[in-house]
Amino acid sequence: MRLRSIGQRVTAELRRSSTRFRVLAYAGGLFAGGIACLVITPGVTQVPERHWTLPFVVLAVAFALAEATALHVEIRKESHSLSLSGIPMMFGLLFTSPLLLALAYVAGAAPTMRWIRKSDVTKTTWNCSLFFAEAAVAALVVRTALGTDLPSNALEWCIPLAAVLVAELMSLLAVPLVIMAVDVKFRPNLFADVGQSQILAALAGTFTVIAVAVATDSPAMLVFAAIPFAGVGFLLRVHGRLGQRYAELQKLHRFTRALAHERGARTIDTGLNELAEIMRATGAWVLVLPGDDQSGATGRALIDDTLRDVDPQPIVASLLDVLDGRVATIAATDPRTAARRALRLLGAREILAAPILGEAGRQGVLVVSDRLGMHDSFTTEEVGLFGSLAGTFSARLTNDCLVEQLEIQAQHDALTGLANRLSFEVAVTSALTSPDARGVVAMVDLDRFKEINDSLGHDAGDKLLIQVAERLQATARASDLVARFGGDEFAIMLTARTPQAAAELAERIERLHAKVVEPIQLDGITFEIGASLGVAAWPERGHDSNTLLRRADTAMYHAKRNQLGTVWYSPDLDADAPRRLDLYLSVRAALESGNIYVHYQPKASIVDGRITGAETLVRWAHPSYGPISPSEFVPLIEQAGLTGRLTRFVARAAINAAAQLAADGHDLTFSINLTARDLLDRSLPNDLAELLRDAQVEPGHLEIEITEGAMVVDFETSISVLNQIRDLGVRVAIDDFGTGYASLQHLHRLPVDQLKIDRSFIARLATDASAVPIVQASVSLARDLGLTTVAEGVEDDFTLRMVSGLGCQQIQGFMLSRPMDLGTLATWLEGWDPDRLLNRLIDYSITSADRSPTTEPSTMRRPR
């Protein structure tokens, strides 16, 4: 019997510190050394037998069985392997050639190491080189001292015993030496167990010499010699089982005691270190999924003595699919896809995994990977031990660590990591206690966030919020605080300790706003996002956090409603707050009761003077506040989630108006306005088709108007919806053309029939010469694309003649008529005379029927 002792610490150091190339290079050196020993060994190929095949096969099988049945014993903190390989080694030294012995040792041990112990290729190569060198060194000692003769007395029997001890010593020194060769560092502590291992090797070698001597002298007596061997083996196994149980109890006690004095994150780190050491693993993981409120997610790993944070979601999702029992062993040969995916994510060959149990059931996993030591695979006893350790760890995590994680989450936003409302209010209250401090509280609300979230999905919305949070953090100083209150609403506290710093607060707010509204890239798409800021300064506007936040919120809503960007709170804004709340609460009822209704504003051709159509405009007559502007109540409808209902209400009114007036002989096209949210509604084309079919109205009598900004949110989806509407036969117009940028980039892809030039440019034609080239460029662009043009906001004869001279084909504005109800429109149409419009142009030098794009608008002057 021969003993090989490689301590757990030594093996761990080998695996952790070496690289594959260096270990293989060192293995090659050992193999070369073994060959050198064989070359100088006397009678290296000389054997007593004439045939080598049978001895080779017998020795190879014997070495394979010896390595496969090795007994592993723990003595103190070290792991030792008691192997019967000394017996075939001794017989080979005495009865076969050295070369045959070395080759048989490798041929027998290699398959056992690779497929029974499941060692990787590098470790198998290293061990086989070591086995080859051991056999060569032992043969050199025996053949040098004895030649090919058998020992004849007790002194000579010491020679093969010495050969085995020399080979064992070389094995014990080889492992620390390869570690130091890889680390390029002298580490004397790696040799601490050599003496103890040699004593055990001498004891085992003595038994082996006795067995071989008895078998040589009298083979029949080998039966009696086997009795003490069997007895010792049985006692060692019994001792091993008892020692294993005692060791497991000690480890469990040690693990529990190590966790007893820790709390929170330290519990996880301490537990991982203890798990990796007790289970002799290269890695350990604690992976906890978030709760129903998306809080409490934990991903922590110890890999090669290094602690790091990891994403728990993909690993847990894979492991929970394959954890049938309390503890599962998963190896690379596992046929399940989820199991192999988990191993790939962990970068492991074999793992032990156990579920972490919480109130809601299995909510995470505990994992150790890649066992160190004599076994490359976890034993049955270790699986049971891991189950006990995992149960203890799971209970501590549930009762301690997760509680602390929830406490942290209670003060921070789970998505962005920013402070939440609670911690923000506490910080503002604390800042207000400083007598000389000044500062501001700003509320930030993003524009068009819901459209992005609905069109691209919540993942894209989350990415956008994270980017905005990062921008706010980058703009803020160390003394400032950024928080997320929920949804797309953020808050910032800026502080100033000096008068100079206080004077810079307004400038810092403007820089912050400019940073937030910079274009954002999401999944390869560039988005323009707006942001409304409301700012309240202290001590001027409040002395407590609730007052400051309420007033900043009031200013923010004022900025959002009036598209002002940033608004600083002033007392006069408070008068509007109750009204805004009342309107928001009553807008749904108004839509259902008929208080929200439509008017129609006609459009006319300045080519022949006829009325071509009318724009359908929504109105609200509030019982208490009177007429409410669409710019005020349409955003409230969007906030209430009623955009789709309002759009279909207006579309039905427009289609019914077209049907009613067509019956009276008026062939008009009625237009309706669509929002960005409408362009993301894939059901809208079918609904419009159904409304047209029910009213028996030709699709060409309906026109939709879109703004350039409405295309910004999701251009591809908007194009798809527009194409479906256009395929129905419905006309498409771009409203407020010139105020955005999206259509200038993609106008050639838009299914558009008409451009409506924004009233802000038309109104300036009479007073601002710079508006002329803008209108002229828009008309030229429309002409090149084959589109008709409508000038919005025409209110007097001079403007009429200007737009006619610039090439516009239709007009809309108060010069024709103000918006009116359907009955009034029908009466107005009966009294309309096309010559009324044409007569206003009769004195103009260039008539509408003979225009040239070379006309010089700068020569046109308003008559005195």
Side-chain angles (χ1 to χ4, degrees):
M1 182 179 290
R2 168 183 147 323
L3 176 139
R4 183 185 310 109
S5 173
I6 305 178
Q8 178 189 1
R9 184 178 67 257
V10 175
T11 308
E13 290 291 341
L14 173 62
R15 179 168 293 179
R16 290 171 182 166
S17 63
S18 63
T19 63
R20 186 182 300 272
F21 175 78
R22 291 182 179 178
V23 172
L24 290 176
Y26 199 88
L30 276 176
F31 188 75
I35 292 177
C37 290
L38 290 177
V39 169
I40 63 175
T41 298
V44 65
T45 60
Q46 183 179 353
V47 294
E49 297 84 355
R50 295 175 59 186
H51 302 286
W52 62 270
T53 306
L54 183 60
F56 178 83
V57 173
V58 171
L59 282 176
V61 171
F63 280 120
L65 291 174
E67 293 297 331
T69 59
L71 176 64
H72 304 284
V73 180
E74 288 192 16
I75 300 177
R76 295 180 181 178
K77 296 183 180 181
E78 296 301 323
S79 175
H80 301 271
S81 177
L82 291 173
S83 170
L84 297 177
S85 59
I87 295 178
M89 169 78 81
M90 191 72 72
F91 276 101
L93 289 172
L94 299 176
F95 299 108
T96 62
S97 70
L99 179 61
L100 185 70
L101 171 63
L103 295 177
Y105 198 172
V106 172
T112 303
M113 297 294 297
R114 186 71 180 93
W115 289 293
I116 296 181
R117 293 193 182 180
K118 294 182 173 53
S119 297
D120 57 29
V121 175
T122 302
K123 187 173 180 180
T124 300
T125 303
W126 157 259
N127 280 293
C128 288
S129 299
L130 186 58
F131 295 157
F132 185 85
E134 287 181 20
V137 169
L140 176 61
V141 173
V142 171
R143 285 298 176 96
T144 301
L146 293 178
T148 58
D149 298 330
L150 294 177
S152 59
N153 54 56
L155 184 61
E156 289 184 353
W157 275 108
C158 291
I159 294 174
L161 175 60
V164 172
L165 291 179
V166 169
E168 178 68 23
L169 179 62
M170 187 198 71
S171 175
L172 292 172
L173 295 177
V175 174
L177 288 174
V178 72
I179 294 174
M180 290 189 294
V182 171
D183 288 347
V184 195
K185 181 180 179 181
F186 180 68
R187 305 173 70 176
N189 61 307
L190 298 179
F191 300 94
D193 301 308
V194 172
Q196 174 180 281
S197 299
Q198 279 294 89
I199 294 173
L200 293 173
L203 179 63
T206 301
F207 277 102
T208 302
V209 167
I210 294 172
V212 174
V214 169
T216 302
D217 184 64
S218 178
M221 295 299 294
L222 189 60
V223 176
F224 296 98
I227 295 176
F229 279 100
V232 171
F234 175 75
L235 291 176
L236 286 174
R237 289 190 179 276
V238 171
H239 175 269
R241 293 195 186 101
L242 293 175
Q244 184 70 25
R245 293 176 185 175
Y246 177 70
E248 288 180 4
L249 290 175
Q250 281 189 318
K251 291 173 180 177
L252 185 58
H253 175 68
R254 164 188 164 183
F255 186 71
T256 305
R257 186 174 58 186
L259 297 182
H261 303 293
E262 303 294 353
R263 177 174 172 81
R266 288 184 58 84
T267 302
I268 294 179
D269 291 351
T270 300
L272 289 174
N273 278 291
E274 291 293 329
L275 271 179
E277 184 171 350
I278 291 173
M279 298 303 300
R280 305 179 186 183
T282 61
W285 285 263
V286 170
L287 305 163
V288 181
L289 290 178
D292 294 336
D293 58 352
Q294 297 302 306
S295 62
T298 301
R300 192 73 166 154
L302 175 71
I303 304 174
D304 291 337
D305 291 333
T306 302
L307 288 162
R308 64 189 70 173
D309 292 320
V310 295
D311 180 11
Q313 182 66 44
I315 304 173
V316 176
S318 298
L319 287 177
L320 287 183
D321 290 341
V322 297
L323 285 181
D324 299 327
R326 178 154 181 77
V327 180
T329 304
I330 300 174
T333 55
D334 197 303
R336 294 171 294 185
T337 303
R340 293 196 300 272
R341 183 170 62 249
L343 289 175
R344 185 171 62 254
L345 291 171
L346 294 169
R349 292 178 294 102
E350 182 187 47
I351 63 171
L352 285 180
I356 295 175
L357 304 177
E359 294 182 359
R362 300 186 303 174
Q363 62 185 67
V365 289
L366 191 64
V367 180
V368 293
S369 67
D370 295 339
R371 188 190 189 281
L372 297 168
M374 291 297 179
H375 290 290
D376 281 330
S377 298
F378 294 101
T379 65
T380 304
E381 293 79 8
E382 287 171 331
V383 173
L385 173 62
F386 180 68
S388 299
L389 297 174
T392 301
F393 205 177
S394 178
R396 283 304 309 273
L397 286 174
T398 302
N399 297 326
D400 180 15
C401 182
L402 293 182
V403 171
E404 182 164 320
Q405 290 290 333
L406 291 175
E407 291 175 353
I408 295 174
Q409 292 295 330
Q411 300 177 11
H412 292 82
D413 174 57
L415 176 65
T416 62
L418 299 177
N420 61 11
R421 187 183 190 105
L422 175 63
S423 56
F424 186 83
E425 291 178 351
V426 171
V428 172
T429 300
S430 176
L432 290 171
T433 59
S434 178
D436 58 341
R438 303 178 65 85
V440 297
V441 169
M443 297 295 297
V444 182
D445 188 83
L446 304 181
D447 299 333
R448 296 190 292 274
F449 170 74
K450 191 175 190 309
E451 286 84 351
I452 295 175
N453 205 46
D454 292 344
S455 61
L456 298 185
H458 293 292
D459 288 343
D462 289 347
K463 292 177 183 177
L464 185 147
L465 293 174
I466 292 171
Q467 285 197 45
V468 171
E470 291 173 348
R471 291 180 176 184
L472 293 174
Q473 284 282 62
T475 308
R477 298 176 181 177
S479 58
D480 303 331
L481 180 64
V482 181
R484 178 180 174 230
F485 281 11
D488 60 342
E489 193 173 52
F490 295 83
I492 307 104
M493 178 183 68
L494 307 180
T495 58
R497 294 287 181 182
T498 65
Q500 180 182 0
E504 296 174 353
L505 287 175
E507 183 182 346
R508 292 179 60 197
I509 287 291
E510 291 305 319
R511 288 202 305 267
L512 187 146
H513 181 267
K515 185 68 175 177
V516 171
V517 299
E518 289 179 358
I520 282 182
Q521 282 271 349
L522 288 177
D523 299 329
I525 304 174
T526 301
F527 293 94
E528 288 279 344
I529 64 166
S532 301
L533 271 72
V535 188
W538 83 77
E540 296 89 347
R541 301 306 185 191
H543 299 278
D544 62 87
S545 61
N546 288 334
T547 300
L548 288 169
L549 285 172
R550 185 178 69 252
R551 291 176 173 175
D553 198 56
T554 298
M556 183 270 291
Y557 275 107
H558 185 79
K560 193 174 188 70
R561 183 174 66 252
N562 297 285
Q563 299 181 352
L564 297 176
T566 301
V567 170
W568 289 68
Y569 171 82
S570 60
D572 59 293
L573 297 180
D574 275 334
D576 192 43
R579 180 176 185 273
R580 184 178 69 251
L581 178 61
D582 190 17
L583 292 177
Y584 177 77
L585 295 175
S586 59
V587 68
R588 184 184 297 271
L591 189 58
E592 295 173 351
S593 65
N595 286 334
I596 291 181
Y597 55 93
V598 296
H599 273 177
Y600 307 91
Q601 187 174 35
K603 295 184 289 186
S605 168
I606 52 179
V607 176
D608 55 18
R610 67 182 181 86
I611 303 301
T612 60
E615 181 177 358
T616 308
L617 303 171
V618 65
R619 296 290 185 262
W620 183 9
H622 194 278
S624 300
Y625 302 117
I628 308 297
S629 169
S631 64
E632 184 175 5
F633 73 79
V634 169
L636 296 178
I637 286 178
E638 293 179 350
Q639 293 176 30
L642 301 173
T643 302
R645 182 183 298 185
L646 178 64
T647 299
R648 284 156 179 81
F649 167 76
V650 176
R652 184 180 293 107
I655 292 171
N656 290 338
Q660 182 175 330
L661 293 178
D664 296 337
H666 300 293
D667 186 17
L668 302 182
T669 299
F670 285 80
S671 61
I672 64 173
N673 292 281
L674 297 189
T675 67
R677 195 167 300 176
D678 291 322
L679 294 179
L680 304 177
D681 185 354
R682 297 183 183 274
S683 65
L684 181 60
N686 291 333
D687 291 346
L688 292 178
E690 184 176 352
L691 290 173
L692 290 165
R693 185 170 54 252
D694 292 344
Q696 297 183 351
V697 171
E698 290 295 324
H701 287 252
L702 179 66
E703 182 178 72
I704 63 169
E705 297 183 8
I706 59 172
T707 63
E708 300 174 69
M711 307 293 294
V712 172
V713 176
D714 185 349
F715 185 79
E716 297 302 326
T717 300
S718 300
I719 283 289
S720 175
V721 172
L722 282 177
N723 279 324
Q724 293 179 58
I725 294 175
R726 180 71 180 283
D727 290 343
L728 297 175
V730 175
R731 294 170 56 82
V732 178
I734 293 183
D735 195 15
D736 301 334
F737 185 77
T739 60
Y741 73 96
S743 58
L744 294 178
Q745 292 180 324
H746 307 291
L747 192 57
H748 65 285
R749 294 183 56 192
L750 294 176
V752 177
D753 303 286
Q754 187 177 90
L755 293 186
K756 299 185 71 176
I757 303 174
D758 187 65
R759 67 183 67 246
S760 63
F761 300 112
I762 302 300
R764 287 161 45 199
L765 288 175
T767 58
D768 186 357
S770 65
V772 173
I774 296 176
V775 175
Q776 188 177 39
S778 299
V779 172
S780 298
L781 177 64
R783 183 186 301 114
D784 292 341
L785 294 175
L787 310 179
T788 60
T789 52
V790 178
E792 297 184 287
V794 176
E795 299 185 4
D796 53 47
D797 288 352
F798 177 77
T799 306
L800 170 65
R801 293 170 180 174
M802 287 287 289
V803 298
S804 176
L806 290 170
C808 289
Q809 296 153 299
Q810 297 183 33
I811 62 168
Q812 178 182 346
F814 289 171
M815 194 200 77
L816 283 179
S817 172
R818 291 181 178 272
M820 59 190 112
D821 60 39
L822 184 59
T824 305
L825 176 63
T827 303
W828 183 86
L829 287 171
E830 293 296 333
W832 176 255
D833 182 4
D835 291 337
R836 185 189 310 170
L837 181 61
L838 296 178
N839 288 337
R840 297 187 180 190
L841 298 169
I842 199 69
D843 296 331
Y844 197 59
S845 60
I846 302 178
T847 67
S848 58
D850 184 25
R851 296 184 187 89
S852 168
T854 61
T855 300
E856 292 291 340
S858 60
T859 63
M860 304 173 191
R861 293 291 182 266
R862 186 168 188 168
R864 296 184 181 275

